Amino acid sequence: MNVDNEPDAFEEVEHTADWALRVRGRDLRELLVNAARGMSCLLVPDLDAVPTDVERRFELDALDAEGLLVEWLSELAYWAEAEMLVFREFEITRVAPDHLEAQVRGGYASNLHKHIKAVTYHDLEIIKTKDGLEATVVFDV
């Protein structure tokens, strides 16, 4: 599932010494896609300039939805740090609060805007809103 960059899908949030991203989605699948897209937008100055010639498949498990969000973003951040590989297309083929299967496409970036050391659990809670789900993710940079 690819979701176009909707204006309310994600936004950078001011946070002391770290980066934070408020993410929204109608359901868990969309929240995860928007979180991944938002993090990628923080990593590179121009996400549209990143090619989509590299594909990876992921299968991740966690104890709960918050843990799954951290595992998902941590996996994507690992590839950015280890190989400068930034993803921009996200298709989640199977999702439950404790399991995720996804196919992603992206390419090698010439540089990263900032380096994400870790995706944290700091104040992380996925909350239900009238429009779906919302979470604020804090990145240690």
Side-chain angles (χ1 to χ4, degrees):
M1 173 178 155
N2 284 323
V3 178
D4 292 333
N5 283 347
E6 297 176 24
D8 293 333
F10 58 83
E11 64 184 292
E12 186 176 355
V13 178
E14 292 293 323
H15 195 274
T16 328
D18 292 323
W19 260 350
L21 190 68
R22 183 166 299 117
V23 185
R24 297 173 194 87
R26 291 175 293 215
D27 54 24
L28 183 58
R29 179 184 318 260
E30 189 172 278
L31 181 82
L32 293 167
V33 167
N34 290 338
R37 182 167 288 112
M39 185 180 76
S40 291
C41 286
L42 292 176
L43 286 171
V44 293
D46 181 10
L47 188 58
D48 291 333
V50 175
T52 56
D53 55 350
V54 178
E55 184 176 288
R56 295 279 190 272
R57 294 179 188 273
F58 301 117
E59 187 168 343
L60 302 169
D61 292 301
L63 295 176
D64 56 19
E66 285 84 2
L68 190 64
L69 177 58
V70 169
E71 289 296 319
W72 166 240
L73 295 178
S74 295
E75 182 72 26
L76 300 175
Y78 165 79
W79 286 103
E81 280 300 310
E83 295 189 15
M84 300 286 285
L85 182 55
V86 177
F87 299 103
R88 57 181 267 201
E89 294 179 3
F90 308 93
E91 181 181 353
I92 297 179
T93 54
R94 183 179 250 181
V95 67
D98 61 351
H99 182 80
L100 161 78
E101 293 175 27
Q103 179 176 312
V104 299
R105 283 173 291 289
Y108 296 97
S110 57
N111 66 335
L112 298 179
H113 181 64
K114 280 193 181 175
H115 295 268
I116 293 176
K117 293 188 265 183
V119 181
T120 75
Y121 284 90
H122 180 75
D123 290 334
L124 180 62
E125 181 182 12
I126 296 174
I127 58 170
K128 290 184 181 180
T129 68
K130 65 180 180 63
D131 297 319
L133 300 174
E134 181 176 294
T136 300
V137 181
V138 177
F139 302 99
D140 183 12
V141 295

